[in-house]
Amino acid sequence: MSQAVFCIAKTEGQAQRIVVDLKSAGFSNNDISVLFPDKAGSRDFAHEQHTKAPEGAAAGAGTGGLVGGGLGWLVGIGALAIPGVGPFIAAGPIMAALAGAAVGAAAGGLTGALVGLGIPEYEAKQYEGKILKGNILISVHTETSDEVDRAKEILKREGAEDISYTGEASVKAA
């Protein structure tokens, strides 16, 4: 059964180190998701001078600087607004899941969207509170117990907080 490992990073530097370490450990850009509030200080997250922003949603949403470094290789980077909560930057599979929730004007806001990703409601509420305070949510999709252990070890080594894992909700292709 697929599982996701979740954590909170306190700083952008810590989040970048975690993402780079996960990539080095063999997790692909389709395995890793990042979510954080879209505020002025976050616009330079993972900025690298020698890359250019992907066209499409990211360019139209004002996230042109969010490429390169630790996030540039992740899929689906862009901005979205979650009803009742505000603007966020997301990358990886979480982007598509949250964009769908935002388009559908999910009544539960960020907590509802996180519950929809398979996070228990109690933990989703805790994560929402920490994200709204400027922390960064990172999730890693895993297929085996060895991958769960490997991801948790990386998160612990980098000092991530609130590490947990849960079975993932399956997402059906359109």
Side-chain angles (χ1 to χ4, degrees):
M1 180 174 139
S2 295
Q3 293 191 13
V5 181
F6 295 90
C7 75
I8 291 290
K10 299 290 276 182
T11 68
E12 294 169 4
Q14 180 186 36
Q16 286 184 17
R17 287 189 306 274
I18 289 169
V19 169
V20 168
D21 287 356
L22 289 168
K23 180 182 177 188
S24 296
F27 292 98
S28 78
N29 60 348
N30 293 318
D31 295 328
I32 303 168
S33 293
V34 178
L35 176 69
F36 55 98
D38 183 8
K39 55 187 181 181
S42 298
R43 292 196 185 277
D44 293 327
F45 186 77
H47 180 72
E48 184 176 278
Q49 294 290 338
H50 305 298
T51 61
K52 77 177 205 181
E55 301 301 319
T63 60
L66 289 172
V67 295
L71 281 186
W73 62 279
L74 293 176
V75 293
I77 191 166
L80 68 149
I82 298 176
V85 184
F88 288 86
I89 303 295
I94 201 169
M95 177 63 183
L98 292 176
V103 168
L110 182 55
T111 295
L114 294 175
V115 168
L117 293 172
I119 300 174
E121 185 175 0
Y122 176 76
E123 290 179 21
K125 287 179 180 179
Q126 288 184 319
Y127 284 140
E128 177 177 13
K130 292 186 180 212
I131 294 166
L132 292 176
K133 290 180 181 173
N135 294 293
I136 301 162
L137 176 70
I138 300 173
S139 72
V140 186
H141 169 82
T142 63
E143 291 289 338
T144 67
S145 61
D146 286 341
E147 286 182 348
V148 170
D149 292 342
R150 191 170 59 205
K152 286 171 51 179
E153 175 57 35
I154 290 167
L155 302 177
K156 286 178 189 174
R157 182 176 65 232
E158 290 297 340
E161 298 181 1
D162 300 312
I163 300 169
S164 66
Y165 65 97
T166 185
E168 291 182 309
S170 60
V171 178
K172 295 186 180 194

